[in-house]
């Protein structure tokens, strides 16, 4: 695959797959894929060997539960829908672009937002979001960037103000 020597621009990342056909496969749980090895409650998980389903992000992602052992990724690509994630995973997008691919099944749950926050802050990975260009997509983006009203007290541990929306 192509090696990135800098943080890629979203158009550089998505241009090769922009015309791909989508299929109807559904992934029911939020999943990250690939260039990362982590320890989950003592079990070493190599995300490059997780098959077509990926690793399911748990609801509790604190450092005492999940530790990042090795990460070669250059960025995180978070997509809104599981079907988009499945297509990117089938095309091995994560391998071609050396990224971690996640999805949130629409509005990402707390565990996914916390994992994205940790990956961004602890590993210094930029976060790009592929979301629908509608009010709900912008709402999801605002929650990723700023946090939610209901969990305002947790925003410091979950919000990622530097997140970028791919347009």
């Amino acid at each position: 695959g192509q090696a990135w020597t800098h943080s890629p621009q979203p158009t550089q990342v998505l241009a090769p797959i922009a015309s791909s056909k989508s299929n109807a496969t559904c992934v029911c749980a939020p999943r990250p894929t690939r260039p990362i090895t982590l320890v989950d409650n003592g079990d070493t998980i190599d995300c490059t060997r997780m098959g077509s389903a990926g690793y399911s992000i748990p609801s509790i992602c604190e450092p005492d539960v999940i530790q990042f052992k090795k990460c070669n990724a250059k960025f995180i690509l978070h997509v809104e829908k599981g079907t988009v994630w499945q297509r990117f995973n089938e095309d091995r997008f994560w391998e071609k672009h050396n990224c971690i691919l996640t999805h949130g099944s629409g509005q990402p749950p707390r565990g996914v937002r916390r994992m994205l926050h940790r990956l961004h802050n602890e590993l210094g990975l930029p976060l790009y979001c592929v979301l629908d260009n509608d009010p709900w997509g912008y709402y999801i983006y605002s929650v990723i960037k700023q946090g939610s009203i209901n969990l305002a007290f947790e925003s410091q541990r979950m919000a990622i103000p530097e997140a970028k929306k791919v347009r």
Side-chain angles (χ1 to χ4, degrees):
Q2 181 178 1
W4 294 99
T5 56
H6 65 288
S7 295
Q9 295 301 310
T11 52
Q12 292 173 305
V13 172
L14 297 176
I17 50 85
S19 62
S20 294
K21 293 179 185 175
S22 179
N23 69 22
T25 306
C26 181
V27 176
C28 298
R31 306 191 187 284
T33 23
R34 308 316 199 235
I36 187 167
T37 301
L38 48 88
V39 177
D40 182 345
N41 262 340
D43 297 322
T44 300
I45 310 292
D46 178 354
C47 290
T48 62
R49 301 189 179 278
M50 296 304 297
S52 61
Y55 166 79
S56 186
I57 298 174
S59 58
I60 299 174
C61 298
E62 296 309 309
D64 61 326
V65 177
I66 305 288
Q67 297 88 40
F68 304 129
K69 186 173 180 180
K70 176 183 168 188
C71 182
N72 298 321
K74 300 293 183 193
F75 64 97
I76 307 159
L77 183 66
H78 179 79
V79 298
E80 179 179 350
K81 295 184 166 68
T83 52
V84 176
W85 180 92
Q86 188 67 38
R87 180 59 195 204
F88 282 176
N89 191 39
E90 287 172 2
D91 289 345
R92 298 179 72 87
F93 182 89
W94 54 270
E95 185 175 58
K96 293 173 189 165
H97 299 284
N98 196 24
C99 71
I100 296 171
L101 179 62
T102 65
H103 83 81
S105 299
Q107 176 69 357
R110 295 175 200 174
V112 172
R113 295 193 333 256
R114 179 66 177 138
M115 179 70 90
L116 292 172
H117 182 273
R118 288 192 58 213
L119 289 167
H120 172 74
N121 286 297
E122 293 174 30
L123 302 178
L125 299 174
L127 173 63
Y128 298 106
C129 302
V130 176
L131 308 165
D132 287 349
N133 194 26
D134 62 10
W136 185 243
Y138 280 93
Y139 174 71
I140 292 170
Y141 181 53
S142 76
V143 169
I144 291 170
K145 268 185 92 74
Q146 302 165 357
S148 68
I149 293 171
N150 288 341
L151 292 173
F153 60 94
E154 289 284 12
S155 291
Q156 188 174 0
R157 294 173 2 101
M158 286 200 246
I160 306 166
E162 300 84 8
K164 305 286 185 224
K165 184 175 187 302
V166 178
R167 298 178 194 259

